[in-house]
Amino acid sequence: MNDTSRLVGLPTLISLAAFVIVVAGVRAAEAVVVPFLLSVFIAIISAPALLWLEKKHVPRWLAMLAVLGTIITSAVLLSVLIGSSVKSFSQDLPHYQQRLSGLLEQFTVWMSQHGSYLTADAVASYVNPGAAMQLVAELLNGLGSVFGNMFLIILTVVFILFEASSMPGKLQAGFPNADKSLRVFAAIANNVNRYLAIKTLTSLFTGAAVATVLALIGVDYPLLWGIIAFLFNYIPTIGSVIAAVPAILLAFIQLGTGPALVSTAFYVVINVLVSNVLEPKLMGRQVGLSTLVVFLSLVFWGWVFGPVGMFLSVPLTVTAKLALESGPRTRWVAVLLGNNVEFQK
């Protein structure tokens, strides 16, 4: 019995040790792995459009140019909008900080009139409204460093798309049992593509709604907050909260309590509508991850890959889950990651 326990425990320990070594290596190679991962996901999203154009008898080189032109235009437009908005907001930031200090002083005066002796510094130490803005800035800076590798990412996407059509034939010629691996890869590509497509649509809706409503309320830089809402909607669980706090804080500093409360109510409504109505209706059970696993994957991939890992946490975890499902010895791990209690043998 003792020997059997050792035989059972030894492979588990070896697997855990291998996992730790792989994660440490991937984290150390973040500068190389992150652009490659983004290239793979961009290629997965772009492949259906490329195949559709080829079915319409568009020459392959022209279809490739059309797809790459769309990718480059979107990336340049997004980076220009973010850069210009952040630059303008940074120039006005001292004014907002000064006004926030004035509001804190008014609050401490009001508290002292009601028997409290808190100072403005004490209030600022308890409540740090700049923490959310600092987190947003760090995430945007992380994305900015990715845009700096855009040439490498686009070049990798080109090679992946060129190899995509011939890869199944190569695998079937090189490996006698490649059909199962091809089915797993097709399932991963379809699920990731569906998730990213639906998430992009709901994020566009969220960003457009946020920009429109904040512009109607009169909050400064509504386009910036709309872009941030669009980007941070890709981060599960906490992304929408992080995106909302700076805009609500600015509404309070600039316009007062009433508009800030209206902005808060709108953010709550739009996030509940998107997270609890639109996305579940469009995605159904396609993602297949439990809520706890989604949150833990956000923490884990964010630790491994930084801000980009937070944005790609769900696609990466879905990929891992589908890969684990393909093997009978690892299927139990996929069951633990999923939201379905049924174990299919």
Side-chain angles (χ1 to χ4, degrees):
M1 186 72 179
N2 213 359
D3 293 338
T4 304
S5 301
R6 290 179 181 177
L7 290 175
V8 173
L10 185 59
T12 303
L13 289 176
I14 293 174
S15 299
L16 289 174
F19 174 76
V20 171
I21 293 172
V22 169
V23 170
V26 169
R27 191 167 186 262
E30 175 189 347
V32 177
V33 176
V34 167
F36 177 74
L37 281 176
L38 285 174
S39 302
V40 170
F41 283 120
I42 292 174
I44 290 175
I45 297 173
S46 307
L50 182 64
L51 295 175
W52 181 82
L53 290 173
E54 290 181 348
K55 287 181 181 179
K56 297 298 181 181
H57 306 291
V58 177
R60 185 174 181 80
W61 64 271
L62 185 59
M64 184 71 74
L65 283 178
V67 171
L68 291 178
T70 303
I71 295 172
I72 294 172
T73 302
S74 301
V76 170
L77 182 62
L78 189 61
S79 60
V80 168
L81 288 176
I82 292 176
S84 60
S85 299
V86 170
K87 183 178 179 180
S88 300
F89 178 75
S90 300
Q91 293 175 350
D92 292 338
L93 189 57
H95 167 71
Y96 296 135
Q97 291 175 336
Q98 184 178 4
R99 179 161 174 76
L100 179 60
S101 300
L103 291 173
L104 287 176
E105 290 179 1
Q106 293 178 11
F107 177 73
T108 54
V109 170
W110 180 84
M111 290 290 292
S112 64
Q113 293 175 350
H114 291 77
S116 176
Y117 297 99
L118 285 175
T119 63
D121 293 335
V123 174
S125 64
Y126 294 140
V127 181
N128 185 7
M133 182 58 69
Q134 184 178 358
L135 181 58
V136 171
E138 291 177 356
L139 292 173
L140 289 177
N141 289 333
L143 290 178
S145 63
V146 172
F147 282 123
N149 295 322
M150 188 54 63
F151 176 75
L152 175 62
I153 293 173
I154 295 298
L155 193 62
T156 308
V157 170
V158 170
F159 286 117
I160 292 175
L161 291 177
F162 270 122
E163 290 288 333
S165 59
S166 61
M167 187 57 67
K170 290 180 179 180
L171 291 175
Q172 289 177 342
F175 301 93
N177 299 321
D179 291 339
K180 183 178 180 180
S181 298
L182 289 174
R183 287 195 298 270
V184 173
F185 179 77
I188 291 173
N190 290 334
N191 277 270
V192 171
N193 200 347
R194 178 180 174 83
Y195 171 80
L196 290 176
I198 293 174
K199 199 69 176 176
T200 299
L201 289 176
T202 57
S203 298
L204 283 171
F205 171 76
T206 302
V210 166
T212 301
V213 171
L214 292 183
L216 293 175
I217 294 174
V219 180
D220 289 343
Y221 305 106
L223 183 60
L224 174 62
W225 309 124
I227 293 173
I228 289 176
F230 163 73
L231 292 174
F232 281 53
N233 193 55
Y234 286 93
I235 301 177
T237 310
I238 64 171
S240 56
V241 177
I242 297 174
V245 171
I248 295 172
L249 179 62
L250 180 60
F252 172 71
I253 295 172
Q254 178 193 350
L255 303 173
T257 305
L261 292 176
V262 173
S263 302
T264 303
F266 167 74
Y267 268 103
V268 171
V269 170
I270 192 66
N271 288 319
V272 168
L273 177 64
V274 171
S275 301
N276 297 332
V277 179
L278 285 180
E279 289 183 355
K281 185 175 181 180
L282 293 174
M283 291 184 185
R285 303 176 66 88
Q286 292 295 320
V287 175
L289 297 176
S290 70
T291 306
L292 177 62
V293 169
V294 170
F295 177 74
L296 293 178
S297 68
L298 171 69
V299 176
F300 175 76
W301 293 115
W303 173 74
V304 175
F305 293 133
V308 176
M310 299 176 72
F311 285 93
L312 297 179
S313 60
V314 172
L316 288 170
T317 308
V318 169
T319 301
K321 178 177 178 291
L322 292 173
L324 292 169
E325 283 179 352
S326 62
R329 298 178 63 180
T330 57
R331 195 172 299 157
W332 64 274
V333 182
V335 172
L336 293 178
L337 294 177
N339 57 6
N340 190 357
V341 296
E342 296 181 1
F343 185 85
Q344 297 179 355
K345 295 184 179 180

